[in-house]
Amino acid sequence: MSSGLARGAHILVVEDDPDMGREIVAELEARDYLVSLAETGQDGLAAIRADGSVKLVIADRMLPVLDGLSMIEALRSEAIGTPVLILSALGSVDDRVRGLKAGGDDYLTKPFAMDELAARVEALLRRPADTRATVLRVGPLEMDLIDRTVHRGPREIELLPREFKLLEYMMRRPDQTITRAMLLEEVWHYRFVPQTNLIDVHMGKLRHKIDADGDVPMIVSVRGTGFMLRAPD
Protein backbone atom coordinates (compact mmCIF):
# COMPACT_ATOMS: atom_id res chain seq x y z
CA MET A 1 0.00 0.00 0.00
CA SER A 2 1.15 3.55 -0.68
CA SER A 3 1.66 6.08 2.12
CA GLY A 4 -1.22 8.33 3.16
CA LEU A 5 0.44 11.27 1.43
CA ALA A 6 0.71 9.51 -1.92
CA ARG A 7 -2.47 7.40 -1.85
CA GLY A 8 -4.74 8.13 -4.78
CA ALA A 9 -2.08 10.05 -6.73
CA HIS A 10 -2.59 9.91 -10.50
CA ILE A 11 0.27 8.12 -12.26
CA LEU A 12 0.63 7.89 -16.03
CA VAL A 13 2.45 4.81 -17.32
CA VAL A 14 3.85 5.15 -20.86
CA GLU A 15 4.83 1.66 -21.97
CA ASP A 16 4.48 -0.03 -25.35
CA ASP A 17 4.99 -3.58 -24.09
CA PRO A 18 1.40 -4.70 -23.29
CA ASP A 19 2.42 -7.30 -20.72
CA MET A 20 4.78 -4.95 -18.92
CA GLY A 21 2.24 -2.13 -19.03
CA ARG A 22 -0.52 -4.28 -17.55
CA GLU A 23 1.79 -5.62 -14.85
CA ILE A 24 2.87 -2.13 -13.74
CA VAL A 25 -0.69 -0.81 -13.78
CA ALA A 26 -1.96 -3.75 -11.71
CA GLU A 27 0.85 -3.36 -9.19
CA LEU A 28 0.25 0.39 -8.73
CA GLU A 29 -3.53 0.06 -8.55
CA ALA A 30 -3.08 -2.55 -5.83
CA ARG A 31 -1.18 0.14 -3.92
CA ASP A 32 -4.12 2.56 -4.19
CA TYR A 33 -2.80 4.76 -6.99
CA LEU A 34 -4.97 6.01 -9.83
CA VAL A 35 -3.21 4.80 -12.97
CA SER A 36 -3.66 5.47 -16.67
CA LEU A 37 -1.73 3.92 -19.55
CA ALA A 38 -0.42 5.26 -22.86
CA GLU A 39 1.44 3.16 -25.43
CA THR A 40 3.47 5.75 -27.35
CA GLY A 41 5.50 8.78 -26.40
CA GLN A 42 3.20 10.95 -28.46
CA ASP A 43 0.10 9.66 -26.64
CA GLY A 44 1.87 10.09 -23.32
CA LEU A 45 2.80 13.66 -24.11
CA ALA A 46 -0.76 14.46 -25.15
CA ALA A 47 -2.14 12.89 -21.96
CA ILE A 48 0.14 14.95 -19.72
CA ARG A 49 -0.67 18.16 -21.56
CA ALA A 50 -4.41 17.48 -21.33
CA ASP A 51 -4.61 16.28 -17.73
CA GLY A 52 -3.09 18.43 -15.01
CA SER A 53 -3.88 15.83 -12.36
CA VAL A 54 -0.94 13.60 -13.36
CA LYS A 55 1.52 13.62 -10.43
CA LEU A 56 4.09 11.22 -11.82
CA VAL A 57 5.01 9.69 -15.16
CA ILE A 58 6.63 6.28 -15.55
CA ALA A 59 8.00 6.14 -19.09
CA ASP A 60 9.79 3.47 -21.03
CA ARG A 61 12.79 4.89 -22.84
CA MET A 62 12.30 3.05 -26.14
CA LEU A 63 8.82 4.07 -27.23
CA PRO A 64 7.32 4.12 -30.74
CA VAL A 65 6.49 7.35 -32.58
CA LEU A 66 8.22 9.54 -29.97
CA ASP A 67 10.88 7.97 -27.75
CA GLY A 68 10.82 8.46 -23.99
CA LEU A 69 13.70 10.93 -23.79
CA SER A 70 12.24 13.12 -26.54
CA MET A 71 8.93 13.08 -24.71
CA ILE A 72 10.61 14.25 -21.49
CA GLU A 73 12.58 16.95 -23.31
CA ALA A 74 9.32 18.22 -24.80
CA LEU A 75 7.75 18.38 -21.35
CA ARG A 76 10.65 20.28 -19.85
CA SER A 77 10.77 22.71 -22.78
CA GLU A 78 7.15 23.55 -21.96
CA ALA A 79 8.04 24.07 -18.27
CA ILE A 80 6.03 20.99 -17.25
CA GLY A 81 7.87 19.73 -14.18
CA THR A 82 5.92 16.53 -13.52
CA PRO A 83 8.50 14.04 -12.21
CA VAL A 84 9.41 11.22 -14.58
CA LEU A 85 10.77 7.79 -13.73
CA ILE A 86 12.50 6.29 -16.78
CA LEU A 87 12.40 2.53 -17.38
CA SER A 88 14.96 1.07 -19.73
CA ALA A 89 16.91 -2.03 -20.64
CA LEU A 90 19.83 0.32 -21.31
CA GLY A 91 21.67 0.42 -18.01
CA SER A 92 25.18 1.73 -18.66
CA VAL A 93 26.43 4.82 -16.85
CA ASP A 94 26.22 6.84 -20.07
CA ASP A 95 22.65 5.71 -20.67
CA ARG A 96 21.60 6.72 -17.18
CA VAL A 97 23.34 10.08 -17.39
CA ARG A 98 21.69 10.75 -20.75
CA GLY A 99 18.29 9.93 -19.29
CA LEU A 100 18.73 12.21 -16.30
CA LYS A 101 20.16 15.04 -18.41
CA ALA A 102 17.10 14.82 -20.66
CA GLY A 103 15.02 15.77 -17.62
CA GLY A 104 14.23 12.41 -16.04
CA ASP A 105 14.08 12.36 -12.24
CA ASP A 106 15.02 8.73 -11.69
CA TYR A 107 16.16 5.82 -13.82
CA LEU A 108 15.35 2.17 -13.26
CA THR A 109 16.95 -0.54 -15.35
CA LYS A 110 14.95 -3.51 -16.63
CA PRO A 111 14.41 -6.12 -15.39
CA PHE A 112 13.40 -4.79 -11.99
CA ALA A 113 11.43 -5.94 -8.97
CA MET A 114 8.00 -4.38 -8.49
CA ASP A 115 8.91 -3.53 -4.90
CA GLU A 116 11.85 -1.52 -6.25
CA LEU A 117 9.54 0.33 -8.64
CA ALA A 118 7.01 1.03 -5.87
CA ALA A 119 9.70 2.39 -3.54
CA ARG A 120 10.96 4.79 -6.20
CA VAL A 121 7.44 5.92 -7.06
CA GLU A 122 6.74 6.80 -3.46
CA ALA A 123 10.06 8.62 -3.11
CA LEU A 124 9.36 10.75 -6.19
CA LEU A 125 5.82 11.57 -5.09
CA ARG A 126 7.11 12.82 -1.76
CA ARG A 127 10.09 14.72 -3.06
CA PRO A 128 8.67 18.25 -3.55
CA ALA A 129 7.82 18.60 0.14
CA ASP A 130 11.19 17.20 1.09
CA THR A 131 13.37 19.99 -0.19
CA ARG A 132 12.21 22.91 1.93
CA ALA A 133 12.79 22.00 5.58
CA THR A 134 16.10 22.70 7.32
CA VAL A 135 15.13 20.74 10.44
CA LEU A 136 13.89 17.20 9.90
CA ARG A 137 11.92 15.34 12.57
CA VAL A 138 10.78 11.74 12.78
CA GLY A 139 9.35 10.90 16.20
CA PRO A 140 12.04 11.68 18.80
CA LEU A 141 14.71 11.98 16.12
CA GLU A 142 15.69 15.50 15.03
CA MET A 143 18.26 16.56 12.45
CA ASP A 144 19.36 20.17 11.99
CA LEU A 145 20.71 20.51 8.46
CA ILE A 146 22.29 23.90 9.17
CA ASP A 147 24.06 23.07 12.44
CA ARG A 148 24.70 19.50 11.24
CA THR A 149 23.47 18.05 14.53
CA VAL A 150 21.32 15.04 15.32
CA HIS A 151 19.41 14.33 18.53
CA ARG A 152 17.23 11.46 19.62
CA GLY A 153 15.28 13.07 22.43
CA PRO A 154 17.85 14.77 24.70
CA ARG A 155 20.68 12.52 23.48
CA GLU A 156 23.02 14.05 20.91
CA ILE A 157 24.24 11.61 18.31
CA GLU A 158 27.59 12.12 16.63
CA LEU A 159 27.64 10.92 13.04
CA LEU A 160 30.33 10.67 10.41
CA PRO A 161 29.60 12.64 7.21
CA ARG A 162 28.42 9.56 5.30
CA GLU A 163 26.22 8.46 8.18
CA PHE A 164 24.70 11.95 8.35
CA LYS A 165 23.88 11.85 4.66
CA LEU A 166 22.46 8.34 4.96
CA LEU A 167 20.23 9.32 7.87
CA GLU A 168 19.11 12.52 6.11
CA TYR A 169 17.99 10.47 3.12
CA MET A 170 15.99 8.20 5.40
CA MET A 171 14.47 11.03 7.45
CA ARG A 172 13.16 12.60 4.25
CA ARG A 173 11.34 9.34 3.57
CA PRO A 174 9.91 8.08 6.89
CA ASP A 175 7.75 4.98 6.78
CA GLN A 176 8.90 4.22 3.24
CA THR A 177 10.77 1.17 2.11
CA ILE A 178 14.21 2.29 0.94
CA THR A 179 16.07 -0.20 -1.21
CA ARG A 180 19.80 -0.77 -1.25
CA ALA A 181 19.90 0.33 -4.89
CA MET A 182 18.27 3.66 -3.98
CA LEU A 183 20.88 4.26 -1.29
CA LEU A 184 23.77 3.34 -3.57
CA GLU A 185 22.51 5.76 -6.21
CA GLU A 186 21.39 8.67 -4.03
CA VAL A 187 23.84 8.57 -1.11
CA TRP A 188 26.91 7.06 -2.73
CA HIS A 189 26.09 8.33 -6.25
CA TYR A 190 26.79 4.98 -7.84
CA ARG A 191 25.21 4.64 -11.28
CA PHE A 192 25.32 0.88 -11.14
CA VAL A 193 24.52 -1.63 -8.42
CA PRO A 194 27.66 -3.49 -7.37
CA GLN A 195 27.59 -6.73 -5.44
CA THR A 196 28.70 -5.36 -2.10
CA ASN A 197 27.72 -5.30 1.56
CA LEU A 198 28.66 -1.60 1.76
CA ILE A 199 25.11 -0.53 2.62
CA ASP A 200 24.64 -3.15 5.31
CA VAL A 201 27.93 -2.24 6.98
CA HIS A 202 27.09 1.47 7.15
CA MET A 203 23.50 0.80 8.12
CA GLY A 204 24.66 -1.42 10.96
CA LYS A 205 26.86 1.36 12.35
CA LEU A 206 24.12 3.95 11.94
CA ARG A 207 21.55 1.72 13.60
CA HIS A 208 23.88 1.19 16.55
CA LYS A 209 24.08 4.97 17.08
CA ILE A 210 20.38 5.76 16.54
CA ASP A 211 18.93 2.82 18.43
CA ALA A 212 20.82 2.70 21.72
CA ASP A 213 20.26 0.04 24.35
CA GLY A 214 16.76 0.39 25.75
CA ASP A 215 15.46 2.44 22.80
CA VAL A 216 12.60 1.26 20.63
CA PRO A 217 14.28 0.49 17.27
CA MET A 218 13.63 3.12 14.60
CA ILE A 219 15.68 1.64 11.76
CA VAL A 220 14.13 -1.65 10.70
CA SER A 221 15.03 -4.10 7.97
CA VAL A 222 12.53 -4.86 5.21
CA ARG A 223 13.17 -8.47 4.31
CA GLY A 224 14.64 -8.96 0.87
CA THR A 225 14.33 -5.28 -0.04
CA GLY A 226 16.08 -2.79 2.21
CA PHE A 227 15.29 -0.64 5.23
CA MET A 228 12.73 1.70 6.76
CA LEU A 229 12.92 4.52 9.30
CA ARG A 230 9.84 4.82 11.45
CA ALA A 231 8.86 6.55 14.66
CA PRO A 232 8.23 4.40 17.73
CA ASP A 233 4.54 3.70 18.39
Side-chain angles (χ1 to χ4, degrees):
M1 302 286 283
S2 61
S3 70
L5 185 66
R7 186 172 298 131
H10 184 186
I11 299 174
L12 173 66
V13 178
V14 190
E15 172 61 73
D16 63 318
D17 181 327
D19 292 336
M20 176 64 76
R22 282 193 292 270
E23 187 177 356
I24 293 173
V25 169
E27 178 69 24
L28 295 176
E29 287 182 338
R31 295 173 183 266
D32 295 333
Y33 296 110
L34 173 65
V35 189
S36 53
L37 178 65
E39 296 183 353
T40 71
Q42 190 174 50
D43 289 346
L45 187 58
I48 300 163
R49 286 169 172 163
D51 189 346
S53 72
V54 175
K55 301 301 182 189
L56 174 68
V57 178
I58 299 173
D60 184 61
R61 180 168 176 167
M62 306 297 286
L63 291 168
V65 185
L66 182 68
D67 67 83
L69 299 193
S70 296
M71 183 192 75
I72 296 168
E73 287 171 343
L75 290 174
R76 301 304 183 236
S77 70
E78 297 173 21
I80 298 174
T82 308
V84 180
L85 169 58
I86 302 170
L87 305 179
S88 179
L90 305 175
S92 72
V93 173
D94 286 345
D95 290 324
R96 287 171 171 267
V97 169
R98 196 171 299 123
L100 297 174
K101 282 188 173 180
D105 296 271
D106 197 1
Y107 195 105
L108 184 57
T109 304
K110 296 179 179 179
F112 53 83
M114 284 296 167
D115 284 343
E116 180 77 31
L117 176 72
R120 289 170 186 263
V121 164
E122 189 152 348
L124 285 171
L125 287 171
R126 284 196 171 199
R127 195 173 64 173
D130 292 336
T131 57
R132 295 188 289 269
T134 58
V135 177
L136 306 178
R137 295 183 179 85
V138 178
L141 199 59
E142 180 177 296
M143 169 179 280
D144 190 317
L145 299 173
I146 305 299
D147 293 340
R148 310 291 292 178
T149 57
V150 175
H151 289 80
R152 178 168 178 167
R155 178 169 62 91
E156 183 168 2
I157 301 170
E158 294 187 5
L159 298 179
L160 298 173
R162 184 73 72 181
E163 295 168 345
F164 190 94
K165 196 169 183 180
L166 179 56
L167 181 62
E168 178 188 350
Y169 186 85
M170 299 186 75
M171 291 186 71
R172 290 185 183 278
R173 298 159 182 81
D175 302 319
Q176 293 183 53
T177 298
I178 298 172
T179 68
R180 290 175 175 81
M182 292 166 70
L183 293 172
L184 282 168
E185 291 178 12
E186 301 298 331
V187 178
W188 274 263
H189 303 300
Y190 283 13
R191 292 305 172 200
F192 62 99
V193 180
Q195 297 299 316
T196 173
N197 66 348
L198 179 71
I199 299 296
D200 295 87
V201 170
H202 279 79
M203 192 62 75
K205 293 178 179 177
L206 179 61
R207 193 194 314 247
H208 182 71
K209 293 182 178 180
I210 299 300
D211 299 328
D213 291 343
D215 288 339
V216 176
M218 293 186 67
I219 297 177
V220 298
S221 298
V222 180
R223 187 175 182 182
T225 304
F227 307 91
M228 180 182 294
L229 178 72
R230 63 186 183 195
D233 294 333

